[in-house]
Amino acid sequence: MIYITRRATFSASHRLFNPELSEEENKKLFDKCAGPNGHGHNYVLEVTVAGEPGKKTGYVLDLKELKRILSREILEKVDHKHLNHDVDFLRGVIPTAENIAVAFWKILAPVIPSGRLHAIRLQETENNTVEYRGEIE
Amino acid sequence: MIYITRRATFSASHRLFNPELSEEENKKLFDKCAGPNGHGHNYVLEVTVAGEPGKKTGYVLDLKELKRILSREILEKVDHKHLNHDVDFLRGVIPTAENIAVAFWKILAPVIPSGRLHAIRLQETENNTVEYRGEIE
Amino acid sequence: MIYITRRATFSASHRLFNPELSEEENKKLFDKCAGPNGHGHNYVLEVTVAGEPGKKTGYVLDLKELKRILSREILEKVDHKHLNHDVDFLRGVIPTAENIAVAFWKILAPVIPSGRLHAIRLQETENNTVEYRGEIE
Amino acid sequence: MIYITRRATFSASHRLFNPELSEEENKKLFDKCAGPNGHGHNYVLEVTVAGEPGKKTGYVLDLKELKRILSREILEKVDHKHLNHDVDFLRGVIPTAENIAVAFWKILAPVIPSGRLHAIRLQETENNTVEYRGEIE
Amino acid sequence: MIYITRRATFSASHRLFNPELSEEENKKLFDKCAGPNGHGHNYVLEVTVAGEPGKKTGYVLDLKELKRILSREILEKVDHKHLNHDVDFLRGVIPTAENIAVAFWKILAPVIPSGRLHAIRLQETENNTVEYRGEIE
Amino acid sequence: MIYITRRATFSASHRLFNPELSEEENKKLFDKCAGPNGHGHNYVLEVTVAGEPGKKTGYVLDLKELKRILSREILEKVDHKHLNHDVDFLRGVIPTAENIAVAFWKILAPVIPSGRLHAIRLQETENNTVEYRGEIE
């Protein structure tokens, strides 16, 4: 078993806000992340696929193909977007890094053509990172 | 002459949009940066002060003091904010990295307590950076 | 299960020296790390907590709270200190990165308010890093 | 159990090419990586050893010793070399990052003097990384 | 005057070898960089353009346009190539980082559409970098 | 004119303390940097030499030679040392980054074999850096 990882970046804005709670409760829970006009990040996404390298290619999965998949499935939908307003698959989701990582997993797991999705790592700032490895780990 | 540099980061959103132009012209000029809901970045700010180290301290300027100045004058006003809407000193400014750097210079140059402001470097993404060194360079 | 990681840095000095051994044996075991006046590092600490994101917040644990915990429990006690002399919880411990990581674990594991401590990663130099994940892994 | 990691870098060239296939098939499989004159990378190698810190030293394994082992067993053989032509232990291997990582594992696993080899991580570019943890993980 | 910088990376191989000298002299001058099969690097290129931000755009030069220029003029010609054999504009040049930077300057200086080329910075490894700022600096 | 830069790192401890002042004044001037047992850093040193690339080599100065010079003249004397106690050329100097950079300049300027020393850049932490370019700049 080998783990291959492709890194990509995107720039987006978001606001942490739970519409079921009052402004005040949101302010208390999310502090400066709840500002009404939102703020943004350069997210760093790392996607890890686990598998056996093929005899013919020596690849688990051609990382250039994984790059194309990430561009098509994720980056085109989130880069230079507002995660609360512009992204269909995040509607109704509080866009914390945790929730975004799970949403990315649901999209990517079924479309990995070789090997299986092992981990989604999402860095929100140089000091804050989350990782999701699917339901059963 | 010694050049000392303090690095700080902040997360903000912005939209590149010139209100004197049509939506279409904005779209053509700024492309995905003109999206109506904005997007965001983890900006990296580097502020360089030039001066002679003091005999008593060996410091041009205590970098812990420069840190406090940056927090008070800049970071508290832009971190976790929308640069088009939430920042007084950017009103009426298209918030390109170039324009933000010049705006930061105007604020910081008069309040450097020792030495003189030499450069403002602002990294918008890992691939895009601007630097301003004042009017006469 | 989601893994969230907070990164922090601190600057400290240490000396690798086992007081039960002779100067010569220490010199042989620890080489330049045994110098009598010590040396220092910019340590990079990464603390990972595992848990389920809350429905209300989308957080496993607010990373701003984890930041406060790290500051209070760890950074205030080790930053700008000599690890052999100035840190109560390291008394009698040879301050290798391995031993420091275990000491940090013992402090942090009981005070994580949500989720459970999963890993302590401590980078001593850009080339040397250790990780501890508790007794049962 | 503690995991210690030593990082090292080397600069090498390679060509992805399966001699059992035609030029055209190689071109199709490996695209620009199949160019006849090869290309190159600054590889970043991270080797992780798992073990218990010794009572006497507080070390799982002296990272300075791991550094010497990596230099002698790996770096002297691959740094500033062409991986397809100059490296005995890669003869007959398509030098994908996956295959190189497995080859390094076979060399290093038997010569770790304390603890056991846990992972070989090989970064080929800032966006592409592979990791191998041995047969049974 | 504002300085804007675009960063890009490419992976290439090269061999340091002066054909007017003997093998032995080359070996003495270039040491391991003269190996007959070459070796390679992930080069990091930083291109800086100096100019005044436009009133209409707030840009010195749209960095997305600079990105396209770098791709077309430089990256397509050197990425995944052997710099001694595959690159027309490097024929007859010993491909040291110094010489490559000057060659890039000659190509880019005439095609910068706004502002003027200020610096070419080329990182060959994480420890080795060169910078060229044109003839008159 | 081309500027070539060699990067190197060293780990050292220091204490900011002016022996001509009282403990209290030192505490006020240097705060946590004045702790009696000192603290430490992983310093990153970048040395830039300016010159013309030689016709025969394409080098301003072989960076492998600059590496050897830095090791012999600087790193062997400061790595894993206490800068206040163990370094002859820093005796009587308050070891701020500013003062260390000037001390390194004095040692290196006369021994650069080709080109001339242009800048000494010393990073003390990821946020604090100083640069010295000699008396006349």
Side-chain angles (χ1 to χ4, degrees), chain B residues 83-118:
Chain B
L83 302 180
N84 301 58
H85 303 306
D86 300 334
V87 182
D88 281 351
F89 65 80
L90 291 174
R91 287 215 186 283
V93 173
I94 306 171
T96 58
E98 288 92 330
N99 285 342
I100 301 170
V102 173
F104 286 179
W105 178 281
K106 284 178 190 160
I107 290 171
L108 290 173
V111 297
I112 299 298
S114 161
R116 60 172 177 74
L117 186 58
H118 173 72

Short mmCIF file of all heavy atoms in Angstrom, two decimals, chain B residues 83-118:
data_model
loop_
_atom_site.label_atom_id
_atom_site.label_comp_id
_atom_site.label_asym_id
_atom_site.label_seq_id
_atom_site.Cartn_x
_atom_site.Cartn_y
_atom_site.Cartn_z
N LEU B 83 -12.26 43.79 3.00
CA LEU B 83 -11.48 45.01 2.74
C LEU B 83 -12.27 46.07 1.99
O LEU B 83 -11.97 47.27 2.10
CB LEU B 83 -10.19 44.66 1.98
CG LEU B 83 -9.28 43.64 2.69
CD1 LEU B 83 -8.04 43.37 1.84
CD2 LEU B 83 -8.87 44.13 4.08
N ASN B 84 -13.30 45.67 1.25
CA ASN B 84 -14.10 46.67 0.55
C ASN B 84 -15.11 47.36 1.45
O ASN B 84 -15.51 48.50 1.18
CB ASN B 84 -14.91 46.03 -0.61
CG ASN B 84 -14.04 45.37 -1.63
OD1 ASN B 84 -13.27 44.47 -1.29
ND2 ASN B 84 -14.16 45.78 -2.89
N HIS B 85 -15.52 46.68 2.51
CA HIS B 85 -16.64 47.21 3.30
C HIS B 85 -16.27 47.63 4.72
O HIS B 85 -16.90 48.51 5.29
CB HIS B 85 -17.76 46.16 3.39
CG HIS B 85 -18.25 45.71 2.06
ND1 HIS B 85 -18.71 46.60 1.11
CD2 HIS B 85 -18.33 44.48 1.49
CE1 HIS B 85 -19.06 45.93 0.02
NE2 HIS B 85 -18.84 44.65 0.22
N ASP B 86 -15.30 46.96 5.32
CA ASP B 86 -15.11 47.09 6.77
C ASP B 86 -13.94 47.98 7.18
O ASP B 86 -13.72 48.15 8.39
CB ASP B 86 -14.87 45.69 7.39
CG ASP B 86 -16.02 44.73 7.15
OD1 ASP B 86 -17.16 45.20 6.98
OD2 ASP B 86 -15.78 43.50 7.14
N VAL B 87 -13.19 48.51 6.22
CA VAL B 87 -11.93 49.17 6.59
C VAL B 87 -11.97 50.65 6.18
O VAL B 87 -11.95 50.98 4.98
CB VAL B 87 -10.74 48.46 5.90
CG1 VAL B 87 -9.43 49.12 6.32
CG2 VAL B 87 -10.74 46.97 6.24
N ASP B 88 -12.00 51.51 7.18
CA ASP B 88 -12.12 52.95 6.91
C ASP B 88 -11.07 53.46 5.93
O ASP B 88 -11.39 54.16 4.97
CB ASP B 88 -11.98 53.74 8.22
CG ASP B 88 -13.28 53.72 9.01
OD1 ASP B 88 -14.30 53.24 8.47
OD2 ASP B 88 -13.27 54.15 10.17
N PHE B 89 -9.81 53.09 6.16
CA PHE B 89 -8.75 53.70 5.34
C PHE B 89 -8.66 53.11 3.93
O PHE B 89 -7.82 53.54 3.15
CB PHE B 89 -7.39 53.65 6.08
CG PHE B 89 -6.84 52.27 6.33
CD1 PHE B 89 -6.20 51.57 5.33
CD2 PHE B 89 -6.95 51.69 7.59
CE1 PHE B 89 -5.67 50.32 5.56
CE2 PHE B 89 -6.42 50.44 7.83
CZ PHE B 89 -5.78 49.75 6.81
N LEU B 90 -9.52 52.14 3.62
CA LEU B 90 -9.55 51.62 2.24
C LEU B 90 -10.82 52.05 1.49
O LEU B 90 -11.04 51.62 0.36
CB LEU B 90 -9.43 50.09 2.26
CG LEU B 90 -8.07 49.54 2.70
CD1 LEU B 90 -8.11 48.02 2.80
CD2 LEU B 90 -6.96 49.95 1.72
N ARG B 91 -11.63 52.89 2.09
CA ARG B 91 -12.86 53.35 1.41
C ARG B 91 -12.51 54.04 0.10
O ARG B 91 -11.60 54.89 0.04
CB ARG B 91 -13.63 54.34 2.29
CG ARG B 91 -14.32 53.69 3.43
CD ARG B 91 -15.65 54.28 3.84
NE ARG B 91 -16.07 53.59 5.05
CZ ARG B 91 -16.59 52.34 5.04
NH1 ARG B 91 -16.79 51.68 3.92
NH2 ARG B 91 -16.92 51.76 6.19
N GLY B 92 -13.17 53.64 -0.95
CA GLY B 92 -12.95 54.26 -2.24
C GLY B 92 -11.70 53.77 -2.96
O GLY B 92 -11.36 54.26 -4.04
N VAL B 93 -11.04 52.78 -2.38
CA VAL B 93 -9.82 52.23 -2.98
C VAL B 93 -10.15 50.85 -3.55
O VAL B 93 -10.81 50.05 -2.88
CB VAL B 93 -8.72 52.09 -1.91
CG1 VAL B 93 -7.50 51.37 -2.46
CG2 VAL B 93 -8.34 53.46 -1.35
N ILE B 94 -9.73 50.56 -4.80
CA ILE B 94 -9.85 49.18 -5.30
C ILE B 94 -8.79 48.37 -4.55
O ILE B 94 -7.60 48.66 -4.65
CB ILE B 94 -9.59 49.11 -6.82
CG1 ILE B 94 -10.48 50.08 -7.57
CG2 ILE B 94 -9.79 47.69 -7.33
CD1 ILE B 94 -10.11 50.21 -9.06
N PRO B 95 -9.21 47.36 -3.77
CA PRO B 95 -8.24 46.73 -2.87
C PRO B 95 -7.34 45.70 -3.56
O PRO B 95 -7.30 44.53 -3.18
CB PRO B 95 -9.13 46.10 -1.79
CG PRO B 95 -10.43 45.84 -2.48
CD PRO B 95 -10.58 46.88 -3.55
N THR B 96 -6.60 46.14 -4.58
CA THR B 96 -5.52 45.30 -5.12
C THR B 96 -4.39 45.29 -4.09
O THR B 96 -4.29 46.19 -3.24
CB THR B 96 -4.98 45.88 -6.43
OG1 THR B 96 -4.51 47.22 -6.18
CG2 THR B 96 -6.04 45.91 -7.52
N ALA B 97 -3.52 44.32 -4.19
CA ALA B 97 -2.38 44.25 -3.27
C ALA B 97 -1.55 45.53 -3.37
O ALA B 97 -1.06 46.06 -2.36
CB ALA B 97 -1.53 43.02 -3.59
N GLU B 98 -1.41 46.06 -4.58
CA GLU B 98 -0.66 47.30 -4.77
C GLU B 98 -1.26 48.43 -3.93
O GLU B 98 -0.55 49.13 -3.20
CB GLU B 98 -0.70 47.73 -6.26
CG GLU B 98 0.14 46.90 -7.21
CD GLU B 98 -0.64 45.75 -7.84
OE1 GLU B 98 -1.59 45.21 -7.21
OE2 GLU B 98 -0.31 45.39 -8.98
N ASN B 99 -2.57 48.62 -4.07
CA ASN B 99 -3.22 49.73 -3.35
C ASN B 99 -3.23 49.52 -1.84
O ASN B 99 -3.11 50.49 -1.07
CB ASN B 99 -4.65 49.92 -3.87
CG ASN B 99 -4.68 50.60 -5.23
OD1 ASN B 99 -3.69 51.23 -5.64
ND2 ASN B 99 -5.79 50.49 -5.94
N ILE B 100 -3.37 48.28 -1.41
CA ILE B 100 -3.34 48.00 0.03
C ILE B 100 -1.96 48.34 0.59
O ILE B 100 -1.83 48.95 1.66
CB ILE B 100 -3.70 46.52 0.32
CG1 ILE B 100 -5.09 46.18 -0.21
CG2 ILE B 100 -3.63 46.25 1.82
CD1 ILE B 100 -5.41 44.68 -0.18
N ALA B 101 -0.91 47.95 -0.14
CA ALA B 101 0.45 48.21 0.34
C ALA B 101 0.70 49.70 0.50
O ALA B 101 1.28 50.16 1.50
CB ALA B 101 1.47 47.59 -0.61
N VAL B 102 0.24 50.49 -0.47
CA VAL B 102 0.42 51.95 -0.38
C VAL B 102 -0.37 52.51 0.81
O VAL B 102 0.12 53.37 1.55
CB VAL B 102 -0.01 52.63 -1.70
CG1 VAL B 102 0.01 54.15 -1.55
CG2 VAL B 102 0.92 52.20 -2.84
N ALA B 103 -1.59 51.99 1.01
CA ALA B 103 -2.39 52.45 2.15
C ALA B 103 -1.71 52.13 3.48
O ALA B 103 -1.71 52.94 4.41
CB ALA B 103 -3.79 51.82 2.08
N PHE B 104 -1.13 50.95 3.58
CA PHE B 104 -0.42 50.58 4.81
C PHE B 104 0.78 51.51 5.02
O PHE B 104 1.09 51.90 6.14
CB PHE B 104 0.07 49.13 4.74
CG PHE B 104 -1.00 48.08 4.89
CD1 PHE B 104 -0.67 46.72 4.83
CD2 PHE B 104 -2.33 48.41 5.11
CE1 PHE B 104 -1.64 45.74 4.98
CE2 PHE B 104 -3.31 47.43 5.25
CZ PHE B 104 -2.95 46.09 5.18
N TRP B 105 1.49 51.82 3.94
CA TRP B 105 2.66 52.72 4.05
C TRP B 105 2.26 54.06 4.66
O TRP B 105 2.93 54.56 5.57
CB TRP B 105 3.26 52.94 2.65
CG TRP B 105 4.42 53.87 2.66
CD1 TRP B 105 4.39 55.23 2.72
CD2 TRP B 105 5.80 53.51 2.66
NE1 TRP B 105 5.65 55.75 2.73
CE2 TRP B 105 6.55 54.71 2.69
CE3 TRP B 105 6.49 52.30 2.60
CZ2 TRP B 105 7.94 54.73 2.67
CZ3 TRP B 105 7.88 52.31 2.59
CH2 TRP B 105 8.58 53.51 2.64
N LYS B 106 1.15 54.61 4.16
CA LYS B 106 0.73 55.93 4.63
C LYS B 106 0.43 55.91 6.14
O LYS B 106 0.67 56.89 6.84
CB LYS B 106 -0.51 56.39 3.87
CG LYS B 106 -0.17 56.86 2.46
CD LYS B 106 -1.44 57.26 1.69
CE LYS B 106 -1.13 57.51 0.23
NZ LYS B 106 -2.36 57.41 -0.60
N ILE B 107 -0.10 54.80 6.61
CA ILE B 107 -0.40 54.69 8.04
C ILE B 107 0.87 54.49 8.85
O ILE B 107 1.06 55.10 9.91
CB ILE B 107 -1.36 53.50 8.28
CG1 ILE B 107 -2.73 53.84 7.72
CG2 ILE B 107 -1.44 53.16 9.76
CD1 ILE B 107 -3.68 52.67 7.71
N LEU B 108 1.76 53.64 8.36
CA LEU B 108 2.90 53.24 9.18
C LEU B 108 4.05 54.24 9.15
O LEU B 108 4.73 54.45 10.17
CB LEU B 108 3.40 51.85 8.74
CG LEU B 108 2.45 50.70 9.09
CD1 LEU B 108 2.95 49.40 8.45
CD2 LEU B 108 2.34 50.53 10.60
N ALA B 109 4.29 54.86 8.00
CA ALA B 109 5.47 55.73 7.89
C ALA B 109 5.55 56.76 9.02
O ALA B 109 6.63 56.95 9.60
CB ALA B 109 5.51 56.40 6.52
N PRO B 110 4.43 57.43 9.37
CA PRO B 110 4.54 58.46 10.42
C PRO B 110 4.69 57.91 11.84
O PRO B 110 4.99 58.69 12.74
CB PRO B 110 3.22 59.24 10.31
CG PRO B 110 2.49 58.70 9.14
CD PRO B 110 3.08 57.39 8.78
N VAL B 111 4.44 56.63 12.05
CA VAL B 111 4.41 56.14 13.44
C VAL B 111 5.57 55.21 13.79
O VAL B 111 5.58 54.61 14.87
CB VAL B 111 3.07 55.44 13.77
CG1 VAL B 111 1.92 56.44 13.64
CG2 VAL B 111 2.84 54.21 12.90
N ILE B 112 6.55 55.09 12.88
CA ILE B 112 7.73 54.28 13.20
C ILE B 112 8.59 55.11 14.17
O ILE B 112 9.05 56.19 13.82
CB ILE B 112 8.52 53.94 11.92
CG1 ILE B 112 7.68 53.12 10.95
CG2 ILE B 112 9.85 53.25 12.25
CD1 ILE B 112 7.22 51.79 11.47
N PRO B 113 8.82 54.60 15.40
CA PRO B 113 9.43 55.46 16.42
C PRO B 113 10.95 55.59 16.30
O PRO B 113 11.53 56.45 16.93
CB PRO B 113 9.07 54.74 17.73
CG PRO B 113 8.86 53.32 17.35
CD PRO B 113 8.38 53.31 15.93
N SER B 114 11.58 54.76 15.50
CA SER B 114 13.04 54.79 15.43
C SER B 114 13.42 54.18 14.09
O SER B 114 12.84 53.18 13.68
CB SER B 114 13.59 53.98 16.61
OG SER B 114 14.90 53.60 16.40
N GLY B 115 14.41 54.78 13.40
CA GLY B 115 14.66 54.38 12.02
C GLY B 115 13.56 54.96 11.14
O GLY B 115 12.73 55.75 11.57
N ARG B 116 13.55 54.52 9.85
CA ARG B 116 12.47 54.98 8.96
C ARG B 116 11.93 53.80 8.17
O ARG B 116 12.64 52.85 7.87
CB ARG B 116 12.99 56.07 8.01
CG ARG B 116 14.11 55.61 7.13
CD ARG B 116 14.51 56.62 6.06
NE ARG B 116 15.65 56.07 5.33
CZ ARG B 116 15.58 55.09 4.44
NH1 ARG B 116 14.41 54.53 4.15
NH2 ARG B 116 16.67 54.61 3.85
N LEU B 117 10.66 53.90 7.83
CA LEU B 117 10.02 52.83 7.07
C LEU B 117 10.73 52.67 5.73
O LEU B 117 10.94 53.65 5.01
CB LEU B 117 8.54 53.18 6.87
CG LEU B 117 7.69 52.10 6.21
CD1 LEU B 117 7.71 50.80 7.01
CD2 LEU B 117 6.25 52.57 6.04
N HIS B 118 11.11 51.44 5.40
CA HIS B 118 11.84 51.20 4.16
C HIS B 118 11.00 50.47 3.11
O HIS B 118 11.08 50.77 1.93
CB HIS B 118 13.11 50.40 4.46
CG HIS B 118 13.84 49.96 3.24
ND1 HIS B 118 14.54 50.83 2.45
CD2 HIS B 118 13.95 48.74 2.64
CE1 HIS B 118 15.07 50.17 1.43
NE2 HIS B 118 14.72 48.93 1.51
#
